[in-house]
Amino acid sequence: MRKLLNGSVIITLILFVDPFSTKGQTDSLKEQMQPIEVKAVRAGTDAPFVKTDITAKEIEKQNLGQDLPILLQYIPSAVITSDAGSGVGYTGIHIRGTDPTRINITMNGIPVNDPEEQAAYFVDFPDIASSASSVQIQRGVGTSTNGAGAFGATISIDNIQQMDSAGAMLSSSTGSFNTWKNTLCAGTGLLKNGWQFDIRLSKINSDGYIQRGSSDLRSLQLNATWNVNKNTALHFMIMTGTEKTGQSWNGVPQDSLNTNRTYNGLGIRPDGTYYNNQTDNYEQDYYQVFADHKFSQSITGHIGLFLTRGIGYYEEYVTDHLSNYGFNFGTGVNDSSDVIRQKWLDNYYYGTVFSLLWNKNKTKYTLGGGFTQFENLHYGIMKWTSFGSVPDNYEWYKNDAQKNDINLYAKSETKLGACTILFGELQYRTIAYFINGYDDNPAIRKNVNYNFFNPKAGITYLLQNTSSEKEKVYASVAVAHREADRADFETDSVNLPKSEQLIDVEAGYEVQRNTWRASANLYYMSYKDQLVLTGQINDVGAYTQTNVPNSYRAGLELQAAVQLYSWFSANANVTISQNKIGEFSEYIDNYDNGNQNIVKHTNTDIAFSPNLVSAIVLNFKPFQIKGWRHLEVGIADKYISMQYLDNTANNNRSLPAYNYCNLLFRYSLKLFGLKEFTATLAINNIFNTYYSSNGNTYSHIAGGTLITSNNYFPQAGTNIIGGVTLKW
């Protein structure tokens, strides 16, 4: 594998390509077809921000039932993770080392990130890839958007566009770990009365690679559009997603990796048997209504209303003291008991977004923003104890929270002469957050307010700009702020966590020719008061994040693509970076004296931030018959260098470097009565590489010795999944 690793990196350095970059990025017609709100929050063709645009066609080629992060794994600077090890269920994505709580995600311009935790859970909207018409990923701060601040990346999903004409699609796939995906899509096309309707039904099941890491996912999406007249249109989208997943979020202890890579310690009873309902259960419903109006040839407006409804719980079997649940057995009584409990979330997220676009001559102005309110109820239900005598639906805690968010932004893009484009943007965001208790600590009450001002400026210079050839240089500077999330307030002290600040400086060069294209992007992301885990226990006994004064991410992203022959093309990318914390203090639990030891660290690597990330994709079309059939073969290789599990830069708390190689076969042909028949086969991890994509670590002192325990999330060895798609 060492030889293969070196070969992968060398080839990637030669080609440095983006496998999803397409010549359609400069297609103005496609840009015009985007919903107004999607255009308002996305970076345009000549904006001085680095981005990747992925079309529905590119998504469709890989979509066999795995979650969206898996389909984005080859974009620059991306590292994907899967709790169950098979890409179905709880998955995540890091971009430039930025974790999911710092990546802004929108759906049709509507914020998706949970306002309290600030993360987005792709498992809550299963198979969104089957209805996504495009996805844009902006790396760095990027342009202003709705919802949580983009603190390293933005993912904008467009899933409101509809079929061009009446038709239907049936897709079914199956593979390793008893994975099944079935999707049905249908649309009416534009009807004479101006209406248009689309529907998608999806069901995905998988046992997962990790023991009891199963997934049962279901989704329904309904889209409707009414073209009132040539200037006005109304859009309606309803989507519901339900998930039942086996809990596999603790990882596998390091000692078990060589003996049982699929070990899952959650839900083990004292007698060694397993509790069969150690599961996560959640339903999330999305309701979105949009109105678009063209006031004149140069002015268009958009307004949207949304409601996101979420409710669910996770159930677990644990051993705990019943006094923690309000049961009093008297002083000196051993109240340790086996417990079955549920922790519930019941929330409403609603609001409005708007944008006004003015485009005339060589200037584009956008005024936009939104107001959102999030109401969340947290409560715990005790189901059973080994002591018995638990009242029905006994609640041992119940508390609520509310978060209001208002943002306004104005941006302009002006072309000076034939070559120079100036970009400027101002955003104001204000947040009010109310917390009435934290889980089983009702005494925690918070009322905090944030006010953020986020300016951005940039310039693009077109060295060449024709229909087939383009060359440009660009530079930008952008400011972003991020508020603390719910867990950071798990303290009754008066010292609240500070908000984080990011200054992102980017500069790059892009060139596009008839048969090849390439780009280089330099970035320097300077953080102030970034929140990181240090191991410190707060005054209610919980581990919490702490602000560190200075940290940064700096890197070089290289991309290119080449079409050597009509039957062969190559794409690759590589990111070389440094990610450092200036100074912080590590707190280590000392079991010998009941206190914490403090260790000072300087100039250490930020956790989960590899210094080298690369990908290469080779595409072959062995034979083609125009208008009839074709076979495509894709070979993709991904390399991730070593990562640290915490911020101490300790090699004993690290995730080893890894790479994996995937194969994809796709055969399409036209059959009588069908627009298209496609058969797809994916062979993942063809070299059966044993690697882990994520992990966690905990260190303590006992008997005068420092003891470190690492857990890892192993990914599946060689596995396959294949499917067929029928289009009418």
Side-chain angles (χ1 to χ4, degrees), residues 445-466:
R445 305 235 169 204
K446 301 295 179 185
N447 184 345
V448 293
N449 293 274
Y450 297 96
N451 293 281
F452 298 142
F453 175 60
N454 301 317
K456 305 174 181 67
I459 183 171
T460 300
Y461 186 80
L462 302 175
L463 300 170
Q464 190 174 5
N465 188 24
T466 67

Side-chain angles (χ1 to χ4, degrees), residues 209-210 252 256-257 259-263 690-692 714-715 717:
Y209 172 67
I210 300 298
V252 178
S256 299
L257 283 179
T259 57
N260 184 3
R261 298 184 75 245
T262 66
Y263 174 80
Y690 281 5
Y691 71 96
S692 298
Q715 302 301 286

Side-chain angles (χ1 to χ4, degrees), residues 93-114:
I93 184 170
H94 289 65
I95 300 176
R96 291 185 180 175
T98 300
D99 68 78
T101 66
R102 288 166 166 81
I103 298 175
N104 173 277
I105 299 177
T106 61
M107 184 190 301
N108 310 314
I110 301 298
V112 171
N113 300 65
D114 178 280

Side-chain angles (χ1 to χ4, degrees), residues 318-372:
V318 297
T319 300
D320 204 352
H321 293 283
L322 293 182
S323 57
N324 294 330
Y325 302 87
F327 294 99
N328 186 2
F329 290 86
T331 304
V333 176
N334 182 5
D335 66 346
S336 179
S337 170
D338 295 338
V339 171
I340 297 175
R341 66 184 187 185
Q342 295 177 347
K343 289 191 172 184
W344 280 79
L345 294 176
D346 186 350
N347 53 68
Y348 294 85
Y349 188 24
Y350 51 89
T352 181
V353 298
F354 70 91
S355 58
L356 188 66
L357 283 67
W358 186 77
N359 187 353
K360 191 172 184 180
N361 299 327
K362 296 183 178 182
T363 301
K364 298 178 183 178
Y365 292 113
T366 305
L367 176 66
F371 166 76
T372 66

